[in-house]
Amino acid sequence: MRALIISDIHSNLQALEAVLSSAPEHDDVWNLGDVVGYGANPNEVIDVARQLGGVVVRGNHDRACCGKITIDDFSEAAADAITWTQGVLAEGNREWLRQLPAGPIKPAKERVICVHGMPRDEDEYLLYSGNAQAALDQSPAGIIFFGHTHRQVGFSRKGRDVLRFKPEFSSRDEAKQYELRLRKGTRYVLNPGSVGQPRDGDWRAAFAVFDAARALFTWHRVPYNLSTAQRRIRRAGLPDYLAARLRSGQ
Ligand code: ZN
């Protein structure tokens, strides 16, 4: 069983297309949420996500864009993009967002769970070892896949010690991958990174592949048509900052 793990696409169609065309063969797709918000192609991205099927956990932007929660807790630029998205969403896509389940979701057969933020609080950011420790205390799963922070990062726990680690890539502009061999008796908390708005200083679209049979987790980075994504954001009248930040990956 091989799962393609994607998260935080944020209406970036160009990034999503690059991810799908470079992803290796897989049997399932696990989407950790925030399909929409920030970017300029919410309907197109939802159409693709619906076609992909698999597991989809809802994110905070997904809930705001379909009107389930208010924009009060969002930054000004995020709130502007949410309001814009609400205005352009096709009715069927709004309905699709509304019915997305909260995490944790356990994909069939695997001893893993998918969440947006944390197992017990879908809106909480999992940033530090202490958060990872708490997440592992909240769930019996062997591996927790999470999103929300837009950073490729992982934590492992063997006994009481929690270790934090990140992928290292040999280039900043080509497609690259980084393999993590999963050890028996160790539990993991893993973020595939953000497809459409990375915040770990790397502009490339991020995703991961989990190979259960080979006990292998692989982080990927892939370049995408950044200037088109930026142009669409500017043309839609969204805040310029949302286009600019894609270049810096912050
Ligand atoms: Zn997000």
Side-chain angles (χ1 to χ4, degrees), residues 30 50-51 62 102 129 131 134-135 138 169 173 175 188 193 217 228 233:
W30 301 344
R50 292 174 74 166
Q51 276 167 27
D62 301 323
S129 299
N131 306 125
Q138 291 171 15
F169 300 107
D173 46 20
Y188 294 89
F217 177 82
T228 298
I233 286 173

Side-chain angles (χ1 to χ4, degrees), residues 143-196:
I143 308 175
I144 299 170
F145 295 111
F146 73 103
H148 199 32
T149 64
H150 299 207
R151 290 170 194 180
Q152 285 188 324
V153 67
F155 303 88
S156 64
R157 184 169 80 182
K158 190 176 183 190
R160 301 173 66 131
D161 298 328
V162 174
L163 232 107
R164 185 180 189 277
F165 49 91
K166 291 187 301 192
E168 307 285 347
F169 300 107
S170 58
S171 131
R172 308 288 289 172
D173 46 20
E174 296 160 48
K176 288 283 166 191
Q177 60 190 70
Y178 183 92
E179 281 188 356
L180 175 70
R181 204 156 279 287
L182 304 168
R183 292 185 302 263
K184 274 212 173 88
T186 301
R187 297 174 69 201
Y188 294 89
V189 185
L190 301 169
N191 191 324
S194 167
V195 171

Side-chain angles (χ1 to χ4, degrees), residues 8 10 33-34 38 60-61 116 148 150 199:
D8 297 278
H10 283 297
D34 276 0
Y38 294 128
N60 48 325
H61 287 255
H116 185 63
H148 199 32
H150 299 207
R199 293 180 196 161

